[in-house]
Amino acid sequence: QVQLVESGGGLVQPGGSLRLSCAASQSIFSFNDMGWYRQAPGKERELVARIFSGGNIMYADAVKGRFTISRDNAKNTVYLQMNSLKPEDTAVYYCHGVQMGWQYWGQGTQVTVSS
């Protein structure tokens, strides 16, 4: 059973930074791609960033230049460094992984950007 466990969310002021972590229960080499999605109240879940097994990365336009996705293969962990946070970044952030056609989700971590 694949498990993805997020951590690192919290309350931060506008302009601040947070780093989210997603720890996988097995080697992240086994995933075709991993990424982060978010869902704000009353809105649909949306892609934030993805990192593919070949190393390619993609970002949503709304976070380009502010967020950075990375991975530590030795720790089986994917990170999302979020800088210059805005109130509109407030959402529950979910880790996502695709493995052999199956999709896996973490339980989510709340990020709130407010003064």
Side-chain angles (χ1 to χ4, degrees):
Q1 181 75 13
V2 175
Q3 290 187 324
L4 303 175
V5 180
E6 303 100 333
S7 60
L11 173 64
V12 63
Q13 292 187 342
S17 298
L18 281 175
R19 188 178 79 157
L20 305 183
S21 300
C22 171
S25 59
Q26 55 186 256
S27 173
I28 59 175
F29 280 118
S30 67
F31 290 88
N32 302 98
D33 73 85
M34 297 191 73
W36 292 92
Y37 288 71
R38 67 186 182 187
Q39 187 167 19
K43 295 187 176 181
E44 294 187 354
R45 192 173 296 189
E46 63 178 7
L47 171 69
V48 176
R50 292 171 74 182
I51 184 166
F52 296 86
S53 57
N56 290 338
I57 291 174
M58 63 179 296
Y59 295 99
D61 288 343
V63 307
K64 282 181 181 176
R66 300 188 299 121
F67 290 11
T68 302
I69 189 171
S70 63
R71 64 189 181 199
D72 186 331
N73 296 329
K75 296 183 178 179
N76 293 326
T77 300
V78 176
Y79 302 99
L80 184 68
Q81 178 67 44
M82 304 185 295
N83 299 328
S84 302
L85 283 161
K86 305 175 181 180
E88 51 264 42
D89 294 318
T90 295
V92 178
Y93 283 71
Y94 297 91
C95 182
H96 174 260
V98 178
Q99 183 188 68
M100 297 181 65
W102 293 92
Q103 296 192 53
Y104 299 93
W105 294 92
Q107 81 286 353
T109 185
Q110 177 70 46
V111 172
T112 302
V113 184
S114 175
S115 55

